[in-house]
Amino acid sequence: MGTRVTRVELTDAAQDLVRLLMSRHGPLMFHQSGGCCDGSAPMCYPRGEFRVGAADVLLGEVAGDTPFWMSADQYAYWRHTHLTVDVVPGRGSGFSLEAPEGVRFLLRSRVLTDEEWERVSAEPSLPTGADIAG
């Protein structure tokens, strides 16, 4: 069947920032909740510092093997999109690792093309926190 449709990627600026954060904090993870803290900004944590819920969806890996998780509720709205993590000036949440750098991660999105959606629809479901834990 080939490889999955890429659902999330980083801009070059985000890739550079992730490399910097990895050099300081070790392996990382992203979580996109759409909840309270910074609205729908992707949060970056040291891997293992944030507990993934059973319904969270693993969209893919960025910057090599950095998992990018999304809450199930948020995924229900964004399942038809391709996400690009970018970096913009400004202070984000104090919970995300980039906050002290004077920048914040930001999501940019586009609707999947008809061809991408057709391929996504034929792929197995994305893994969830329940799949990883079980």
Side-chain angles (χ1 to χ4, degrees):
M1 179 161 121
T3 60
R4 281 187 175 271
V5 171
T6 301
R7 304 299 296 267
V8 60
E9 64 184 344
L10 304 176
T11 63
D12 290 342
Q15 183 93 358
D16 291 343
L17 181 56
V18 167
R19 275 195 285 270
L20 173 71
L21 295 173
M22 287 172 79
S23 73
R24 293 182 182 164
H25 303 282
L28 305 175
M29 67 174 290
F30 279 95
H31 188 270
Q32 173 72 37
S33 71
C36 67
C37 301
D38 254 354
S40 61
M43 302 298 225
C44 183
Y45 303 104
R47 196 170 310 164
E49 294 278 323
F50 180 88
R51 184 172 290 188
V52 174
D56 287 340
V57 177
L58 180 61
L59 289 185
E61 293 181 339
V62 295
D65 67 346
T66 301
F68 190 102
W69 291 92
M70 181 175 277
S71 70
D73 291 342
Q74 189 80 350
Y75 181 70
Y77 290 112
W78 289 27
R79 69 182 183 273
H80 296 93
T81 62
H82 174 275
L83 304 174
T84 302
V85 180
D86 201 357
V87 176
V88 295
R91 184 154 163 80
S93 168
F95 297 118
S96 193
L97 289 176
E98 82 282 3
E101 305 300 320
V103 294
R104 61 186 303 213
F105 288 114
L106 175 83
L107 280 184
R108 300 187 190 281
S109 64
R110 68 167 174 80
V111 174
L112 294 172
T113 65
D114 290 342
E115 179 185 336
E116 287 170 325
W117 182 247
E118 188 174 311
R119 284 185 53 209
V120 163
S121 298
E123 294 173 348
S125 297
L126 291 169
T128 67
D131 298 326
I132 303 302

